[in-house]
Amino acid sequence: MDGTTYTASWDHIVAIYEHDKKNEEYGLRALFKLNHNHIHIERSKMKVSNAAQVFSHKVASVIKLVADNAPKESLLANPVGTAKLCLFMYQTFDSVNASSINAEYGKPLRSAVRNTSLHMAHWKYAIKEFESMKFINKRTGKLTVPPSVKNWIFTLKSFIHLWLQLKKCNIKYFLPRQVNQDPLECLFGSVRSHGVRNINPNCYQFMCWFKTLLINNFMSLKVSGNCVIDNSESALYNLKNFIESGSSSLLIIENDKDVNLINITMIDLPTTVKYTYLTDMTIGYISGYLARSVLKDTHFCRLCKNELISDVENNDLIQIRDFTKKSLLYPSDKFKNVINQMFYITKNILPNFGQANIGRNVYKSDNLKELALIYCLKYKRRN
């Protein structure tokens, strides 16, 4: 790759997943999309969505982040090849998966193919990289080239040929994601399973069943097998799940009038909480996201910015994940400490009050916004 030989290993993916799980705190993880099925692929090896989530920019960035701070004897001490492979596959996935004309923010390859786009250059580069790839059989030690690599080469060459032919027809752009067989698979599956199982319908039966399915609106894309719908997820998906999960009651309150608050055992709120390096970076990343959300509501008020964000690039995870070097914000120490204490309260104090789904009520309220705006006199008066 780029004139240098690298070695990538699935063991690095397993190791970074286990390291991330080990450092989980408050239900927060740097790689929250990865689960058991992504790592142990015996039952889900045909799911493209799982492969896309493993070979992603997030995984590549976290591998690099952990590798820079891992002990020399650790398995994650030198996974540079695996990180580069994840990033390369992420970019290649993007180049053939664009569904919109304009590029997504920070993702130039996630756009329509045009004369001025980067697709042709990347596809030619990717073909050379795939042609240079060799897989080592762990049992025999022999070098092999699996069908998936050969098929990637064939697919990219086909896309190049398709675009050259489309340009001759004066077509200005095309969306690579539309070139897929998922709709056909779903259509044929619906037709063959209509009424009774008939895997070999004749022309007349096919036409009749097609009309029936069309009228009954049964031709919507089904999430089954390898045909998946690409649903977007927010950056705080795991945070929201954690807060909305509710909590078991440690204190049952039968009558509010009989409650003596003095007898309720409270947990002292620590000024600082010790975390592992990866957990601290993850909480900082989430704090930066929350700070940006608050600043959008305040129209990036200058006083609010001084309180919520920092000019110092003090978070390695944010630095690695920032596509454009200006889209992510670094939280101030004061605001990050507020978020830390909120996590601590949600986990260790709120469950003592015996109210089901109390975390959800906190999440739905504007307490976070009010807490962040308390420093700004301008927005404090407005609220």
Side-chain angles (χ1 to χ4, degrees), residues 45-65:
K45 60 183 178 181
M46 288 298 293
K47 294 202 69 172
V48 177
S49 58
N50 284 4
Q53 289 170 346
V54 170
F55 296 105
S56 64
H57 182 273
K58 286 184 179 180
V59 173
S61 61
V62 173
I63 288 177
K64 186 178 184 305
L65 177 66

Side-chain angles (χ1 to χ4, degrees), residues 179-298:
V179 185
N180 69 80
Q181 62 184 21
D182 285 358
L184 283 177
E185 289 183 19
C186 291
L187 170 62
F188 292 153
S190 298
V191 169
R192 293 195 297 181
S193 63
H194 178 65
V196 295
R197 184 173 182 270
N198 187 351
I199 61 174
N200 190 26
N202 56 37
C203 294
Y204 177 76
Q205 290 174 328
F206 186 91
M207 290 176 60
C208 293
W209 292 348
F210 175 80
K211 292 177 182 178
T212 303
L213 292 171
L214 185 62
I215 294 173
N216 292 336
N217 196 26
F218 286 161
M219 292 183 59
S220 59
L221 182 62
K222 299 179 180 179
V223 184
S224 61
N226 200 28
C227 304
V228 294
I229 297 177
D230 186 17
N231 292 322
S232 61
E233 297 177 356
S234 64
L236 295 181
Y237 176 83
N238 58 335
L239 171 62
K240 186 175 180 180
N241 272 5
F242 160 68
I243 295 179
E244 290 188 347
S245 62
S247 57
S248 58
S249 174
L250 300 180
L251 176 66
I252 300 176
I253 302 176
E254 296 181 354
N255 191 341
D256 292 342
K257 296 180 180 179
D258 298 330
V259 173
N260 186 351
L261 294 179
I262 299 177
N263 294 328
I264 297 178
T265 303
M266 297 297 292
I267 302 175
D268 293 333
L269 188 63
T271 55
T272 58
V273 182
K274 292 184 178 180
Y275 301 114
T276 62
Y277 174 75
L278 183 60
T279 301
D280 185 58
M281 293 297 104
T282 303
I283 294 178
Y285 181 86
I286 292 174
S287 301
Y289 177 88
L290 292 174
R292 186 178 183 85
S293 300
V294 172
L295 289 175
K296 284 183 179 179
D297 290 334
T298 64

Side-chain angles (χ1 to χ4, degrees), residues 75-89:
L75 180 62
L76 292 171
N78 188 28
V80 179
T82 305
K84 285 186 173 293
L85 176 64
C86 289
L87 185 59
F88 166 73
M89 292 304 304

Side-chain angles (χ1 to χ4, degrees), residues 13 27 87 107 145 191 221 224 246 264 330 334 342 355-356:
I13 302 294
L87 185 59
K107 300 180 179 181
V145 180
V191 169
L221 182 62
S224 61
I264 297 178
Y330 295 84
K334 182 188 296 184
M342 289 182 64
Q355 180 181 344

